[in-house]
Coordinates of all heavy atoms in Angstrom, one line a residue:
P79 N 26.6 5.4 -44.9 CA 26.2 6.2 -46.0 C 24.7 6.5 -46.0 O 23.9 5.6 -45.6 CB 26.6 5.4 -47.2 CG 26.5 4.0 -46.7 CD 27.0 4.0 -45.3
I80 N 24.3 7.6 -46.4 CA 22.8 7.9 -46.6 C 22.5 7.5 -48.0 O 22.9 8.1 -49.0 CB 22.5 9.4 -46.3 CG1 22.9 9.8 -44.9 CG2 21.1 9.7 -46.6 CD1 22.5 11.2 -44.5
D81 N 21.7 6.4 -48.1 CA 21.4 5.8 -49.4 C 19.9 5.6 -49.4 O 19.1 5.9 -48.5 CB 22.2 4.5 -49.6 CG 21.6 3.4 -48.8 OD1 21.4 3.6 -47.5 OD2 21.4 2.3 -49.3
A82 N 19.4 5.1 -50.6 CA 18.0 5.0 -50.8 C 17.3 3.8 -50.2 O 16.1 3.7 -50.1 CB 17.8 4.9 -52.4
E83 N 18.1 2.8 -49.7 CA 17.5 1.6 -49.1 C 18.0 1.2 -47.7 O 17.2 1.1 -46.8 CB 17.7 0.4 -50.1 CG 17.0 -0.9 -49.6 CD 17.0 -2.0 -50.7 OE1 17.5 -1.7 -51.8 OE2 16.6 -3.1 -50.4
A84 N 19.3 1.0 -47.6 CA 19.8 0.6 -46.3 C 19.6 1.6 -45.2 O 19.4 1.3 -44.0 CB 21.3 0.3 -46.4
F85 N 19.6 2.9 -45.5 CA 19.4 3.9 -44.5 C 18.1 3.8 -43.8 O 17.9 4.3 -42.7 CB 19.6 5.3 -45.1 CG 19.7 6.4 -44.1 CD1 20.7 6.4 -43.1 CD2 18.8 7.5 -44.1 CE1 20.8 7.4 -42.2 CE2 18.9 8.5 -43.1 CZ 19.9 8.5 -42.2
G86 N 17.1 3.2 -44.5 CA 15.8 3.0 -44.0 C 15.8 2.2 -42.7 O 15.0 2.4 -41.8
F87 N 16.7 1.2 -42.6 CA 16.8 0.4 -41.4 C 17.3 1.3 -40.2 O 16.9 1.0 -39.0 CB 17.8 -0.8 -41.6 CG 17.2 -1.8 -42.6 CD1 17.6 -1.8 -43.9 CD2 16.3 -2.7 -42.2 CE1 17.1 -2.7 -44.8 CE2 15.7 -3.6 -43.1 CZ 16.1 -3.6 -44.4
W88 N 18.2 2.2 -40.4 CA 18.6 3.1 -39.4 C 17.5 4.1 -39.0 O 17.4 4.4 -37.8 CB 19.9 3.9 -39.8 CG 21.1 3.0 -40.0 CD1 21.6 2.6 -41.2 CD2 21.8 2.3 -39.0 NE1 22.7 1.7 -41.0 CE2 22.8 1.5 -39.6 CE3 21.7 2.3 -37.6 CZ2 23.7 0.8 -38.9 CZ3 22.6 1.5 -36.9 CH2 23.6 0.8 -37.5
L89 N 16.7 4.5 -40.0 CA 15.6 5.3 -39.6 C 14.5 4.6 -38.8 O 13.9 5.1 -37.9 CB 14.9 5.8 -40.9 CG 15.7 6.9 -41.7 CD1 15.0 7.2 -43.1 CD2 15.9 8.1 -40.9
K90 N 14.3 3.3 -39.1 CA 13.4 2.5 -38.3 C 13.9 2.3 -36.9 O 13.1 2.4 -35.9 CB 13.3 1.1 -39.0 CG 12.4 0.1 -38.2 CD 12.3 -1.2 -38.8 CE 11.5 -2.2 -38.0 NZ 11.4 -3.6 -38.6
A91 N 15.2 2.1 -36.7 CA 15.8 2.0 -35.4 C 15.7 3.3 -34.6 O 15.5 3.3 -33.4 CB 17.3 1.6 -35.5
G92 N 15.8 4.4 -35.3 CA 15.8 5.7 -34.6 C 14.4 6.3 -34.4 O 14.1 7.0 -33.4
F93 N 13.4 6.0 -35.3 CA 12.1 6.6 -35.2 C 11.0 5.5 -35.0 O 9.9 5.9 -34.6 CB 11.8 7.3 -36.5 CG 12.5 8.5 -36.8 CD1 13.8 8.5 -37.4 CD2 12.0 9.8 -36.4 CE1 14.5 9.7 -37.6 CE2 12.7 11.0 -36.6 CZ 14.0 10.9 -37.2
G94 N 11.3 4.3 -35.2 CA 10.2 3.3 -35.1 C 9.8 2.8 -36.4 O 10.2 3.3 -37.5
T95 N 8.9 1.8 -36.4 CA 8.4 1.2 -37.7 C 7.6 2.2 -38.5 O 6.8 2.9 -38.0 CB 7.5 0.0 -37.4 OG1 8.2 -0.9 -36.6 CG2 7.0 -0.7 -38.7
P96 N 7.9 2.4 -39.8 CA 7.3 3.4 -40.6 C 5.9 3.0 -41.0 O 5.5 1.8 -41.0 CB 8.2 3.5 -41.8 CG 8.8 2.2 -42.0 CD 8.9 1.6 -40.6
M97 N 5.1 4.0 -41.5 CA 3.8 3.7 -42.2 C 4.2 3.7 -43.7 O 4.6 4.7 -44.2 CB 2.8 4.8 -41.9 CG 1.5 4.5 -42.5 SD 0.2 5.8 -42.0 CE 0.9 7.3 -42.7
T98 N 3.9 2.6 -44.3 CA 4.3 2.4 -45.7 C 3.0 2.4 -46.6 O 2.0 1.7 -46.3 CB 5.1 1.1 -45.9 OG1 6.3 1.1 -45.1 CG2 5.4 0.9 -47.4
T99 N 3.1 3.1 -47.7 CA 2.0 3.2 -48.6 C 2.5 2.9 -50.0 O 3.7 3.0 -50.3 CB 1.3 4.5 -48.6 OG1 2.2 5.6 -48.9 CG2 0.6 4.8 -47.3
G100 N 1.6 2.4 -50.9 CA 1.9 2.0 -52.2 C 1.6 0.6 -52.5 O 2.0 -0.3 -51.8
A101 N 0.8 0.3 -53.6 CA 0.5 -1.0 -54.0 C 1.6 -1.7 -54.7 O 1.7 -2.9 -54.7 CB -0.8 -1.0 -54.9
E102 N 2.5 -0.9 -55.3 CA 3.7 -1.5 -56.0 C 4.7 -0.4 -56.0 O 4.5 0.7 -55.6 CB 3.3 -1.9 -57.4 CG 2.8 -0.7 -58.3 CD 2.4 -1.2 -59.7 OE1 2.2 -2.4 -59.9 OE2 2.3 -0.3 -60.6
A103 N 6.0 -0.8 -56.4 CA 7.1 0.2 -56.3 C 6.8 1.4 -57.3 O 6.2 1.2 -58.3 CB 8.4 -0.5 -56.7
P104 N 7.2 2.6 -56.8 CA 7.9 2.9 -55.6 C 7.0 3.0 -54.4 O 5.8 3.3 -54.5 CB 8.5 4.3 -55.9 CG 7.5 4.9 -56.9 CD 7.0 3.7 -57.7
Y105 N 7.6 2.6 -53.2 CA 6.8 2.7 -52.0 C 7.3 3.9 -51.2 O 8.4 4.3 -51.2 CB 7.1 1.4 -51.2 CG 6.7 0.1 -51.9 CD1 7.7 -0.6 -52.6 CD2 5.4 -0.3 -51.8 CE1 7.3 -1.8 -53.2 CE2 5.0 -1.5 -52.5 CZ 6.0 -2.2 -53.2 OH 5.6 -3.4 -53.9
T106 N 6.3 4.4 -50.4 CA 6.6 5.6 -49.6 C 6.6 5.2 -48.1 O 5.6 4.7 -47.6 CB 5.5 6.7 -49.8 OG1 5.6 7.1 -51.2 CG2 5.8 7.9 -48.9
H107 N 7.7 5.4 -47.4 CA 7.9 5.0 -46.0 C 7.9 6.3 -45.2 O 8.8 7.1 -45.4 CB 9.1 4.2 -45.8 CG 9.3 3.0 -46.8 ND1 8.6 1.8 -46.6 CD2 10.0 2.9 -47.9 CE1 8.9 1.0 -47.6 NE2 9.8 1.7 -48.4
E108 N 7.0 6.4 -44.3 CA 6.9 7.6 -43.5 C 7.3 7.3 -42.0 O 6.6 6.6 -41.3 CB 5.5 8.2 -43.5 CG 5.3 9.6 -42.9 CD 4.0 10.2 -43.2 OE1 3.1 9.9 -42.3 OE2 3.8 10.9 -44.2
F109 N 8.4 7.9 -41.6 CA 8.9 7.7 -40.2 C 8.5 9.0 -39.4 O 8.8 10.1 -39.8 CB 10.4 7.5 -40.2 CG 10.9 6.3 -41.0 CD1 11.1 6.5 -42.4 CD2 11.1 5.1 -40.4 CE1 11.6 5.4 -43.1 CE2 11.6 4.0 -41.2 CZ 11.8 4.2 -42.5
C110 N 7.9 8.8 -38.2 CA 7.4 9.9 -37.5 C 8.1 10.0 -36.1 O 8.4 8.9 -35.5 CB 5.9 9.8 -37.2 SG 4.9 9.7 -38.7
S111 N 8.4 11.2 -35.7 CA 9.0 11.4 -34.4 C 8.0 11.1 -33.2 O 6.8 11.1 -33.4 CB 9.5 12.8 -34.3 OG 8.5 13.7 -34.3
G112 N 8.6 10.9 -32.0 CA 7.7 10.8 -30.8 C 7.2 9.4 -30.5 O 6.5 9.3 -29.5
N113 N 7.6 8.4 -31.2 CA 7.2 7.0 -30.8 C 7.8 6.6 -29.5 O 9.0 6.8 -29.2 CB 7.6 6.0 -31.9 CG 6.8 6.1 -33.2 OD1 5.6 6.3 -33.1 ND2 7.4 5.9 -34.3
W114 N 6.9 6.1 -28.6 CA 7.4 5.6 -27.3 C 8.0 4.2 -27.4 O 8.8 3.9 -26.6 CB 6.2 5.5 -26.3 CG 5.8 6.9 -25.9 CD1 4.6 7.6 -26.2 CD2 6.4 7.7 -24.9 NE1 4.6 8.8 -25.6 CE2 5.7 8.9 -24.8 CE3 7.6 7.6 -24.2 CZ2 6.1 9.9 -23.9 CZ3 8.0 8.6 -23.3 CH2 7.2 9.8 -23.2
S115 N 7.7 3.5 -28.4 CA 8.2 2.1 -28.6 C 9.2 2.1 -29.7 O 8.8 2.2 -30.9 CB 7.1 1.1 -28.8 OG 7.6 -0.2 -29.0
L116 N 10.5 1.9 -29.4 CA 11.5 1.8 -30.4 C 12.0 0.4 -30.5 O 12.2 -0.3 -29.4 CB 12.6 2.8 -30.1 CG 12.3 4.3 -30.1 CD1 13.5 5.1 -29.7 CD2 11.7 4.7 -31.4
P117 N 12.3 -0.1 -31.7 CA 12.8 -1.5 -31.8 C 14.2 -1.6 -31.4 O 15.0 -0.7 -31.5 CB 12.6 -1.8 -33.3 CG 12.8 -0.4 -33.9 CD 12.2 0.6 -33.0
S118 N 14.5 -2.8 -30.8 CA 15.9 -3.1 -30.5 C 16.5 -4.0 -31.6 O 15.7 -4.7 -32.3 CB 16.1 -3.8 -29.1 OG 15.4 -5.0 -29.1
F119 N 17.8 -4.0 -31.7 CA 18.4 -4.8 -32.8 C 19.7 -5.3 -32.3 O 20.3 -4.9 -31.3 CB 18.5 -4.0 -34.1 CG 19.2 -2.7 -33.9 CD1 20.6 -2.6 -34.1 CD2 18.6 -1.5 -33.4 CE1 21.3 -1.4 -34.0 CE2 19.2 -0.3 -33.3 CZ 20.6 -0.2 -33.5
S120 N 20.2 -6.3 -33.1 CA 21.6 -6.9 -32.8 C 22.5 -6.5 -34.0 O 22.0 -6.5 -35.2 CB 21.5 -8.4 -32.7 OG 20.8 -8.7 -31.5
I121 N 23.7 -6.2 -33.7 CA 24.7 -5.9 -34.7 C 25.9 -6.8 -34.5 O 26.4 -7.0 -33.4 CB 25.2 -4.4 -34.6 CG1 24.1 -3.5 -35.1 CG2 26.5 -4.2 -35.4 CD1 24.5 -2.0 -35.1
E122 N 26.4 -7.4 -35.6 CA 27.6 -8.2 -35.5 C 28.7 -7.5 -36.4 O 28.4 -7.3 -37.6 CB 27.4 -9.6 -36.0 CG 28.7 -10.5 -35.8 CD 28.5 -11.9 -36.4 OE1 28.6 -12.0 -37.6 OE2 28.4 -12.8 -35.6
T123 N 29.8 -7.2 -35.8 CA 31.0 -6.8 -36.6 C 32.0 -7.9 -36.7 O 32.3 -8.5 -35.7 CB 31.6 -5.5 -35.9 OG1 32.0 -5.8 -34.6 CG2 30.6 -4.4 -35.9
G124 N 32.5 -8.1 -37.9 CA 33.3 -9.2 -38.1 C 34.7 -8.9 -38.7 O 34.7 -8.0 -39.6
M125 N 35.7 -9.5 -38.2 CA 37.1 -9.4 -38.8 C 37.5 -10.8 -39.1 O 38.1 -11.5 -38.2 CB 38.0 -8.7 -37.9 CG 37.7 -7.2 -37.7 SD 38.8 -6.3 -36.5 CE 38.1 -6.8 -35.0
P126 N 37.2 -11.3 -40.3 CA 37.4 -12.7 -40.6 C 38.8 -13.2 -40.5 O 39.0 -14.4 -40.3 CB 36.8 -12.9 -42.1 CG 36.1 -11.6 -42.3 CD 36.6 -10.5 -41.4
E127 N 39.8 -12.3 -40.8 CA 41.2 -12.8 -40.8 C 41.7 -13.1 -39.5 O 42.8 -13.7 -39.4 CB 42.0 -11.7 -41.6 CG 42.2 -10.4 -40.9 CD 41.0 -9.5 -41.0 OE1 40.0 -9.9 -41.6 OE2 41.1 -8.3 -40.6
V128 N 41.1 -12.6 -38.4 CA 41.7 -12.8 -37.0 C 41.6 -14.3 -36.6 O 42.6 -14.9 -36.2 CB 41.2 -11.8 -36.0 CG1 41.7 -12.1 -34.6 CG2 41.6 -10.4 -36.4
P129 N 40.4 -14.9 -36.5 CA 39.0 -14.3 -36.7 C 38.4 -13.8 -35.4 O 38.7 -14.3 -34.3 CB 38.2 -15.5 -37.2 CG 38.9 -16.7 -36.5 CD 40.3 -16.4 -36.3
R130 N 37.6 -12.7 -35.6 CA 36.9 -12.1 -34.4 C 35.5 -11.6 -34.9 O 35.4 -10.8 -35.8 CB 37.7 -11.0 -33.8 CG 37.0 -10.4 -32.6 CD 37.8 -9.2 -32.1 NE 37.4 -8.7 -30.8 CZ 36.4 -7.7 -30.6 NH1 35.8 -7.2 -31.7 NH2 36.0 -7.3 -29.4
Y131 N 34.5 -12.2 -34.2 CA 33.1 -11.7 -34.5 C 32.5 -11.3 -33.2 O 32.4 -12.0 -32.3 CB 32.3 -12.9 -35.1 CG 32.8 -13.3 -36.5 CD1 33.8 -14.2 -36.7 CD2 32.3 -12.7 -37.7 CE1 34.2 -14.6 -37.9 CE2 32.7 -13.0 -38.9 CZ 33.7 -14.0 -39.1 OH 34.2 -14.3 -40.3
A132 N 32.1 -10.0 -33.2 CA 31.5 -9.4 -32.0 C 30.0 -9.1 -32.2 O 29.7 -8.4 -33.1 CB 32.2 -8.1 -31.6
M133 N 29.2 -9.8 -31.4 CA 27.8 -9.6 -31.5 C 27.3 -8.7 -30.4 O 27.5 -9.0 -29.2 CB 27.1 -11.0 -31.4 CG 25.5 -10.9 -31.4 SD 24.9 -10.4 -33.0 CE 25.1 -11.9 -33.9

Side-chain angles (χ1 to χ4, degrees):
I80 297 183
D81 73 316
E83 186 172 349
F85 192 59
F87 292 99
W88 294 108
L89 292 174
K90 176 181 177 179
F93 290 86
T95 304
M97 180 176 66
T98 300
T99 56
E102 59 182 21
Y105 300 96
T106 299
H107 311 280
E108 191 174 87
F109 302 85
C110 301
S111 63
N113 284 326
W114 284 105
S115 178
L116 298 178
S118 64
F119 53 96
S120 294
I121 287 181
E122 184 185 76
T123 58
M125 291 179 281
E127 67 279 6
V128 174
R130 181 185 190 271
Y131 293 89
M133 178 68 75

